[in-house]
Amino acid sequence: ALSGGVKVIFEIANRMVDDGHSVDLFSYAGQPKWTSPKATIIPEKDIAAVDMSRYDFVFASNAFFLPLLLPHVAPARLVFFCQDWESFHHSRGTAFADFVSDDPTFVELYRLPVPIIATSRAICSLIRERAGRDAYFMQVGLNKATFDVQPRKTPTPRKRVLLVGNYLMPYKGMRDGLEALRILSKELPLELVLVTQEYRDRHVLDACGCPVDLRFCPTEHEMPAIYASCDVYCCTSWYEGLGLPALEAFRCGVPVVSTRTYGVSDYGIHE
């Protein structure tokens, strides 16, 4: 599915292909409908059916892949490419306190003897503090040809506030964002601009109490103009491993308001 983490994986795979490496991708979801990766999508639906002996390295993009891969990867070298502290995504409750509590199973997965490459310093810190391991830090890049300073929108009485993400995932904090917009809309005219990959239960957006400009799965090249059409980007997440939309908004010259999302500590620096 379309997400920041998947976009990063595809970008790395595309650039490795451009550099002459042989790269295959395995996903239970098969071929993505929203992009066409340059790497080959492996047709098998069972990871145990993939001949791992063909590879020098196997990169696992999620912790749950590690126990599935370990019995099959020899002689390839298994590496965990980590963009999240995944324990946070398996909360048994829906409150913030439940969300930031560790799932013991995932902590043990992070402790498996597999080298970890993490894409933010915040994730490196969480791995060190909660699993007692060190991870290699690999900074994620932005396409500066696409995300660059845009002409600022003409000031208007109605302020456009941008939210990005899946409004049905509790940890994205969008219900908090919609409630904040409802309160703020009593003081000044607002319009919610929502970029999302979600199509279900859109009635929940009525809670914001203001007009909604809905953008469903725009392409990366369409995003700079969307950022530039807004007065502010607001990240309401309880947690982000990094938070690409905030960086993209910064690049486009759009102010950012963010919760303290762990990942924001990589770039949201006082003054």
Side-chain angles (χ1 to χ4, degrees), residues 17 32 47 50 107 122 145 174 214 222:
V17 170
I47 202 165
V50 179
V107 174
M174 289 236 182
L214 187 65
E222 292 172 325

Side-chain angles (χ1 to χ4, degrees), residues 63-81:
F64 67 78
F65 272 122
L66 297 175
L68 299 176
L69 286 166
L70 276 169
H72 305 288
V73 292
R77 180 71 182 271
L78 180 60
V79 178
F80 179 20
F81 181 69

Side-chain angles (χ1 to χ4, degrees), residues 105-156:
T105 301
F106 272 85
V107 174
E108 289 305 311
L109 291 178
Y110 278 74
R111 287 175 176 161
L112 290 170
V114 175
I116 302 174
I117 296 174
T119 55
S120 77
R121 293 181 182 87
I123 299 169
C124 290
S125 296
L126 283 165
I127 293 170
R128 187 178 303 111
E129 293 163 8
R130 302 197 179 203
R133 295 195 58 198
D134 288 325
Y136 299 96
F137 169 55
M138 188 203 80
Q139 198 164 41
V140 171
L142 283 181
N143 186 340
K144 293 182 179 180
T146 300
F147 295 102
D148 201 357
V149 176
Q150 305 292 308
R152 296 293 293 126
K153 72 179 282 287
T154 303
T156 54

Side-chain angles (χ1 to χ4, degrees), residues 6 8-14 16-17 22-28 30-32 35-44 47 50 54-55 59 61 65:
V6 175
V8 168
I9 291 166
F10 284 171
E11 182 69 21
I12 291 171
N14 288 345
M16 291 182 73
V17 170
S22 175
V23 183
D24 294 342
L25 295 169
F26 173 88
S27 169
Y28 290 115
Q31 183 75 35
T35 189
S36 298
K38 296 178 182 179
T40 301
I41 304 290
I42 297 173
E44 281 85 354
I47 202 165
V50 179
R54 299 175 51 216
Y55 303 104
F59 284 78
S61 61
F65 272 122

